[in-house]
mmCIF file with all atom_site columns, all heavy atoms in Angstrom:
data_model
loop_
_atom_site.group_PDB
_atom_site.id
_atom_site.type_symbol
_atom_site.label_atom_id
_atom_site.label_alt_id
_atom_site.label_comp_id
_atom_site.label_asym_id
_atom_site.label_entity_id
_atom_site.label_seq_id
_atom_site.pdbx_PDB_ins_code
_atom_site.Cartn_x
_atom_site.Cartn_y
_atom_site.Cartn_z
_atom_site.occupancy
_atom_site.B_iso_or_equiv
_atom_site.pdbx_formal_charge
_atom_site.auth_seq_id
_atom_site.auth_comp_id
_atom_site.auth_asym_id
_atom_site.auth_atom_id
_atom_site.pdbx_PDB_model_num
ATOM 1   N N   . GLU Q 1 349 ? 5.424   -1.859  19.532 1.00 94.00 ? 349 GLU Q N   1
ATOM 2   C CA  . GLU Q 1 349 ? 6.771   -1.379  19.272 1.00 94.00 ? 349 GLU Q CA  1
ATOM 3   C C   . GLU Q 1 349 ? 7.186   -1.629  17.820 1.00 94.00 ? 349 GLU Q C   1
ATOM 4   O O   . GLU Q 1 349 ? 7.954   -0.875  17.256 1.00 94.00 ? 349 GLU Q O   1
ATOM 5   C CB  . GLU Q 1 349 ? 7.756   -2.066  20.229 1.00 94.00 ? 349 GLU Q CB  1
ATOM 6   C CG  . GLU Q 1 349 ? 7.673   -1.563  21.657 1.00 94.00 ? 349 GLU Q CG  1
ATOM 7   C CD  . GLU Q 1 349 ? 8.007   -0.088  21.776 1.00 94.00 ? 349 GLU Q CD  1
ATOM 8   O OE1 . GLU Q 1 349 ? 9.016   0.343   21.185 1.00 94.00 ? 349 GLU Q OE1 1
ATOM 9   O OE2 . GLU Q 1 349 ? 7.245   0.628   22.436 1.00 94.00 ? 349 GLU Q OE2 1
ATOM 10  N N   . HIS Q 1 350 ? 6.692   -2.712  17.241 1.00 96.00 ? 350 HIS Q N   1
ATOM 11  C CA  . HIS Q 1 350 ? 6.939   -2.957  15.824 1.00 96.00 ? 350 HIS Q CA  1
ATOM 12  C C   . HIS Q 1 350 ? 5.772   -3.742  15.254 1.00 96.00 ? 350 HIS Q C   1
ATOM 13  O O   . HIS Q 1 350 ? 5.154   -4.550  15.952 1.00 96.00 ? 350 HIS Q O   1
ATOM 14  C CB  . HIS Q 1 350 ? 8.270   -3.668  15.582 1.00 96.00 ? 350 HIS Q CB  1
ATOM 15  C CG  . HIS Q 1 350 ? 8.397   -5.017  16.218 1.00 96.00 ? 350 HIS Q CG  1
ATOM 16  N ND1 . HIS Q 1 350 ? 8.163   -6.195  15.536 1.00 96.00 ? 350 HIS Q ND1 1
ATOM 17  C CD2 . HIS Q 1 350 ? 8.741   -5.388  17.483 1.00 96.00 ? 350 HIS Q CD2 1
ATOM 18  C CE1 . HIS Q 1 350 ? 8.372   -7.220  16.340 1.00 96.00 ? 350 HIS Q CE1 1
ATOM 19  N NE2 . HIS Q 1 350 ? 8.717   -6.759  17.536 1.00 96.00 ? 350 HIS Q NE2 1
ATOM 20  N N   . MET Q 1 351 ? 5.461   -3.460  13.989 1.00 97.00 ? 351 MET Q N   1
ATOM 21  C CA  . MET Q 1 351 ? 4.281   -4.027  13.347 1.00 97.00 ? 351 MET Q CA  1
ATOM 22  C C   . MET Q 1 351 ? 4.585   -4.468  11.921 1.00 97.00 ? 351 MET Q C   1
ATOM 23  O O   . MET Q 1 351 ? 5.449   -3.891  11.254 1.00 97.00 ? 351 MET Q O   1
ATOM 24  C CB  . MET Q 1 351 ? 3.151   -2.976  13.289 1.00 97.00 ? 351 MET Q CB  1
ATOM 25  C CG  . MET Q 1 351 ? 2.638   -2.517  14.634 1.00 97.00 ? 351 MET Q CG  1
ATOM 26  S SD  . MET Q 1 351 ? 1.295   -1.323  14.435 1.00 97.00 ? 351 MET Q SD  1
ATOM 27  C CE  . MET Q 1 351 ? 0.013   -2.403  13.784 1.00 97.00 ? 351 MET Q CE  1
ATOM 28  N N   . ASP Q 1 352 ? 3.843   -5.468  11.477 1.00 97.00 ? 352 ASP Q N   1
ATOM 29  C CA  . ASP Q 1 352 ? 3.889   -5.832  10.064 1.00 97.00 ? 352 ASP Q CA  1
ATOM 30  C C   . ASP Q 1 352 ? 3.271   -4.711  9.229  1.00 97.00 ? 352 ASP Q C   1
ATOM 31  O O   . ASP Q 1 352 ? 2.315   -4.061  9.664  1.00 97.00 ? 352 ASP Q O   1
ATOM 32  C CB  . ASP Q 1 352 ? 3.076   -7.110  9.808  1.00 97.00 ? 352 ASP Q CB  1
ATOM 33  C CG  . ASP Q 1 352 ? 3.581   -8.300  10.607 1.00 97.00 ? 352 ASP Q CG  1
ATOM 34  O OD1 . ASP Q 1 352 ? 4.808   -8.421  10.764 1.00 97.00 ? 352 ASP Q OD1 1
ATOM 35  O OD2 . ASP Q 1 352 ? 2.742   -9.116  11.055 1.00 97.00 ? 352 ASP Q OD2 1
ATOM 36  N N   . GLY Q 1 353 ? 3.814   -4.507  8.053  1.00 97.00 ? 353 GLY Q N   1
ATOM 37  C CA  . GLY Q 1 353 ? 3.205   -3.561  7.119  1.00 97.00 ? 353 GLY Q CA  1
ATOM 38  C C   . GLY Q 1 353 ? 2.162   -4.289  6.291  1.00 97.00 ? 353 GLY Q C   1
ATOM 39  O O   . GLY Q 1 353 ? 2.488   -4.941  5.293  1.00 97.00 ? 353 GLY Q O   1
ATOM 40  N N   . ILE Q 1 354 ? 0.912   -4.202  6.719  1.00 98.00 ? 354 ILE Q N   1
ATOM 41  C CA  . ILE Q 1 354 ? -0.156  -4.953  6.051  1.00 98.00 ? 354 ILE Q CA  1
ATOM 42  C C   . ILE Q 1 354 ? -0.513  -4.259  4.733  1.00 98.00 ? 354 ILE Q C   1
ATOM 43  O O   . ILE Q 1 354 ? -0.968  -3.123  4.721  1.00 98.00 ? 354 ILE Q O   1
ATOM 44  C CB  . ILE Q 1 354 ? -1.392  -5.068  6.959  1.00 98.00 ? 354 ILE Q CB  1
ATOM 45  C CG1 . ILE Q 1 354 ? -1.033  -5.813  8.249  1.00 98.00 ? 354 ILE Q CG1 1
ATOM 46  C CG2 . ILE Q 1 354 ? -2.530  -5.786  6.225  1.00 98.00 ? 354 ILE Q CG2 1
ATOM 47  C CD1 . ILE Q 1 354 ? -2.147  -5.828  9.281  1.00 98.00 ? 354 ILE Q CD1 1
ATOM 48  N N   . ILE Q 1 355 ? -0.308  -4.956  3.636  1.00 98.00 ? 355 ILE Q N   1
ATOM 49  C CA  . ILE Q 1 355 ? -0.637  -4.416  2.318  1.00 98.00 ? 355 ILE Q CA  1
ATOM 50  C C   . ILE Q 1 355 ? -2.117  -4.623  2.023  1.00 98.00 ? 355 ILE Q C   1
ATOM 51  O O   . ILE Q 1 355 ? -2.800  -3.713  1.546  1.00 98.00 ? 355 ILE Q O   1
ATOM 52  C CB  . ILE Q 1 355 ? 0.253   -5.072  1.242  1.00 98.00 ? 355 ILE Q CB  1
ATOM 53  C CG1 . ILE Q 1 355 ? 1.719   -4.667  1.478  1.00 98.00 ? 355 ILE Q CG1 1
ATOM 54  C CG2 . ILE Q 1 355 ? -0.191  -4.669  -0.163 1.00 98.00 ? 355 ILE Q CG2 1
ATOM 55  C CD1 . ILE Q 1 355 ? 2.710   -5.435  0.617  1.00 98.00 ? 355 ILE Q CD1 1
ATOM 56  N N   . ILE Q 1 356 ? -2.628  -5.790  2.309  1.00 98.00 ? 356 ILE Q N   1
ATOM 57  C CA  . ILE Q 1 356 ? -4.067  -6.026  2.182  1.00 98.00 ? 356 ILE Q CA  1
ATOM 58  C C   . ILE Q 1 356 ? -4.452  -7.187  3.086  1.00 98.00 ? 356 ILE Q C   1
ATOM 59  O O   . ILE Q 1 356 ? -3.748  -8.195  3.177  1.00 98.00 ? 356 ILE Q O   1
ATOM 60  C CB  . ILE Q 1 356 ? -4.492  -6.288  0.720  1.00 98.00 ? 356 ILE Q CB  1
ATOM 61  C CG1 . ILE Q 1 356 ? -6.024  -6.308  0.602  1.00 98.00 ? 356 ILE Q CG1 1
ATOM 62  C CG2 . ILE Q 1 356 ? -3.874  -7.551  0.170  1.00 98.00 ? 356 ILE Q CG2 1
ATOM 63  C CD1 . ILE Q 1 356 ? -6.526  -6.183  -0.833 1.00 98.00 ? 356 ILE Q CD1 1
ATOM 64  N N   . GLY Q 1 357 ? -5.563  -7.004  3.790  1.00 98.00 ? 357 GLY Q N   1
ATOM 65  C CA  . GLY Q 1 357 ? -6.078  -8.033  4.675  1.00 98.00 ? 357 GLY Q CA  1
ATOM 66  C C   . GLY Q 1 357 ? -7.342  -8.665  4.113  1.00 98.00 ? 357 GLY Q C   1
ATOM 67  O O   . GLY Q 1 357 ? -7.998  -8.114  3.216  1.00 98.00 ? 357 GLY Q O   1
ATOM 68  N N   . TYR Q 1 358 ? -7.690  -9.803  4.663  1.00 98.00 ? 358 TYR Q N   1
ATOM 69  C CA  . TYR Q 1 358 ? -8.891  -10.506 4.234  1.00 98.00 ? 358 TYR Q CA  1
ATOM 70  C C   . TYR Q 1 358 ? -10.135 -9.684  4.512  1.00 98.00 ? 358 TYR Q C   1
ATOM 71  O O   . TYR Q 1 358 ? -11.120 -9.753  3.759  1.00 98.00 ? 358 TYR Q O   1
ATOM 72  C CB  . TYR Q 1 358 ? -8.970  -11.850 4.965  1.00 98.00 ? 358 TYR Q CB  1
ATOM 73  C CG  . TYR Q 1 358 ? -10.076 -12.769 4.489  1.00 98.00 ? 358 TYR Q CG  1
ATOM 74  C CD1 . TYR Q 1 358 ? -10.057 -13.310 3.209  1.00 98.00 ? 358 TYR Q CD1 1
ATOM 75  C CD2 . TYR Q 1 358 ? -11.132 -13.112 5.336  1.00 98.00 ? 358 TYR Q CD2 1
ATOM 76  C CE1 . TYR Q 1 358 ? -11.061 -14.169 2.776  1.00 98.00 ? 358 TYR Q CE1 1
ATOM 77  C CE2 . TYR Q 1 358 ? -12.137 -13.976 4.915  1.00 98.00 ? 358 TYR Q CE2 1
ATOM 78  C CZ  . TYR Q 1 358 ? -12.101 -14.492 3.638  1.00 98.00 ? 358 TYR Q CZ  1
ATOM 79  O OH  . TYR Q 1 358 ? -13.093 -15.338 3.208  1.00 98.00 ? 358 TYR Q OH  1
ATOM 80  N N   . ASN Q 1 359 ? -10.117 -8.882  5.564  1.00 98.00 ? 359 ASN Q N   1
ATOM 81  C CA  . ASN Q 1 359 ? -11.268 -8.033  5.871  1.00 98.00 ? 359 ASN Q CA  1
ATOM 82  C C   . ASN Q 1 359 ? -11.527 -7.029  4.746  1.00 98.00 ? 359 ASN Q C   1
ATOM 83  O O   . ASN Q 1 359 ? -12.666 -6.864  4.296  1.00 98.00 ? 359 ASN Q O   1
ATOM 84  C CB  . ASN Q 1 359 ? -11.081 -7.321  7.208  1.00 98.00 ? 359 ASN Q CB  1
ATOM 85  C CG  . ASN Q 1 359 ? -9.807  -6.492  7.291  1.00 98.00 ? 359 ASN Q CG  1
ATOM 86  O OD1 . ASN Q 1 359 ? -8.842  -6.699  6.555  1.00 98.00 ? 359 ASN Q OD1 1
ATOM 87  N ND2 . ASN Q 1 359 ? -9.784  -5.540  8.214  1.00 98.00 ? 359 ASN Q ND2 1
ATOM 88  N N   . GLU Q 1 360 ? -10.470 -6.374  4.270  1.00 98.00 ? 360 GLU Q N   1
ATOM 89  C CA  . GLU Q 1 360 ? -10.632 -5.439  3.163  1.00 98.00 ? 360 GLU Q CA  1
ATOM 90  C C   . GLU Q 1 360 ? -11.059 -6.170  1.898  1.00 98.00 ? 360 GLU Q C   1
ATOM 91  O O   . GLU Q 1 360 ? -11.921 -5.686  1.137  1.00 98.00 ? 360 GLU Q O   1
ATOM 92  C CB  . GLU Q 1 360 ? -9.330  -4.676  2.911  1.00 98.00 ? 360 GLU Q CB  1
ATOM 93  C CG  . GLU Q 1 360 ? -9.450  -3.650  1.797  1.00 98.00 ? 360 GLU Q CG  1
ATOM 94  C CD  . GLU Q 1 360 ? -8.171  -2.881  1.512  1.00 98.00 ? 360 GLU Q CD  1
ATOM 95  O OE1 . GLU Q 1 360 ? -7.138  -3.157  2.166  1.00 98.00 ? 360 GLU Q OE1 1
ATOM 96  O OE2 . GLU Q 1 360 ? -8.215  -1.984  0.633  1.00 98.00 ? 360 GLU Q OE2 1
ATOM 97  N N   . LEU Q 1 361 ? -10.482 -7.342  1.679  1.00 98.00 ? 361 LEU Q N   1
ATOM 98  C CA  . LEU Q 1 361 ? -10.819 -8.103  0.475  1.00 98.00 ? 361 LEU Q CA  1
ATOM 99  C C   . LEU Q 1 361 ? -12.285 -8.530  0.475  1.00 98.00 ? 361 LEU Q C   1
ATOM 100 O O   . LEU Q 1 361 ? -12.951 -8.490  -0.566 1.00 98.00 ? 361 LEU Q O   1
ATOM 101 C CB  . LEU Q 1 361 ? -9.909  -9.329  0.363  1.00 98.00 ? 361 LEU Q CB  1
ATOM 102 C CG  . LEU Q 1 361 ? -9.982  -10.082 -0.971 1.00 98.00 ? 361 LEU Q CG  1
ATOM 103 C CD1 . LEU Q 1 361 ? -9.466  -9.215  -2.110 1.00 98.00 ? 361 LEU Q CD1 1
ATOM 104 C CD2 . LEU Q 1 361 ? -9.189  -11.379 -0.895 1.00 98.00 ? 361 LEU Q CD2 1
ATOM 105 N N   . LEU Q 1 362 ? -12.821 -8.936  1.629  1.00 98.00 ? 362 LEU Q N   1
ATOM 106 C CA  . LEU Q 1 362 ? -14.233 -9.299  1.713  1.00 98.00 ? 362 LEU Q CA  1
ATOM 107 C C   . LEU Q 1 362 ? -15.134 -8.137  1.325  1.00 98.00 ? 362 LEU Q C   1
ATOM 108 O O   . LEU Q 1 362 ? -16.147 -8.313  0.636  1.00 98.00 ? 362 LEU Q O   1
ATOM 109 C CB  . LEU Q 1 362 ? -14.587 -9.756  3.131  1.00 98.00 ? 362 LEU Q CB  1
ATOM 110 C CG  . LEU Q 1 362 ? -14.260 -11.196 3.522  1.00 98.00 ? 362 LEU Q CG  1
ATOM 111 C CD1 . LEU Q 1 362 ? -14.617 -11.431 4.985  1.00 98.00 ? 362 LEU Q CD1 1
ATOM 112 C CD2 . LEU Q 1 362 ? -14.979 -12.207 2.633  1.00 98.00 ? 362 LEU Q CD2 1
ATOM 113 N N   . LEU Q 1 363 ? -14.775 -6.933  1.758  1.00 98.00 ? 363 LEU Q N   1
ATOM 114 C CA  . LEU Q 1 363 ? -15.592 -5.761  1.439  1.00 98.00 ? 363 LEU Q CA  1
ATOM 115 C C   . LEU Q 1 363 ? -15.481 -5.399  -0.040 1.00 98.00 ? 363 LEU Q C   1
ATOM 116 O O   . LEU Q 1 363 ? -16.459 -4.979  -0.662 1.00 98.00 ? 363 LEU Q O   1
ATOM 117 C CB  . LEU Q 1 363 ? -15.199 -4.594  2.339  1.00 98.00 ? 363 LEU Q CB  1
ATOM 118 C CG  . LEU Q 1 363 ? -15.563 -4.796  3.822  1.00 98.00 ? 363 LEU Q CG  1
ATOM 119 C CD1 . LEU Q 1 363 ? -14.916 -3.736  4.693  1.00 98.00 ? 363 LEU Q CD1 1
ATOM 120 C CD2 . LEU Q 1 363 ? -17.082 -4.789  4.008  1.00 98.00 ? 363 LEU Q CD2 1
ATOM 121 N N   . ILE Q 1 364 ? -14.287 -5.539  -0.623 1.00 98.00 ? 364 ILE Q N   1
ATOM 122 C CA  . ILE Q 1 364 ? -14.135 -5.363  -2.067 1.00 98.00 ? 364 ILE Q CA  1
ATOM 123 C C   . ILE Q 1 364 ? -15.007 -6.374  -2.803 1.00 98.00 ? 364 ILE Q C   1
ATOM 124 O O   . ILE Q 1 364 ? -15.730 -6.031  -3.750 1.00 98.00 ? 364 ILE Q O   1
ATOM 125 C CB  . ILE Q 1 364 ? -12.655 -5.519  -2.474 1.00 98.00 ? 364 ILE Q CB  1
ATOM 126 C CG1 . ILE Q 1 364 ? -11.839 -4.312  -1.983 1.00 98.00 ? 364 ILE Q CG1 1
ATOM 127 C CG2 . ILE Q 1 364 ? -12.518 -5.685  -3.991 1.00 98.00 ? 364 ILE Q CG2 1
ATOM 128 C CD1 . ILE Q 1 364 ? -10.339 -4.468  -2.174 1.00 98.00 ? 364 ILE Q CD1 1
#
Side-chain angles (χ1 to χ4, degrees):
E349 287 298 314
H350 61 97
M351 297 181 69
D352 301 322
I354 299 173
I355 295 171
I356 189 164
Y358 187 66
N359 56 339
E360 182 180 2
L361 190 65
L362 278 177
L363 292 169
I364 289 172

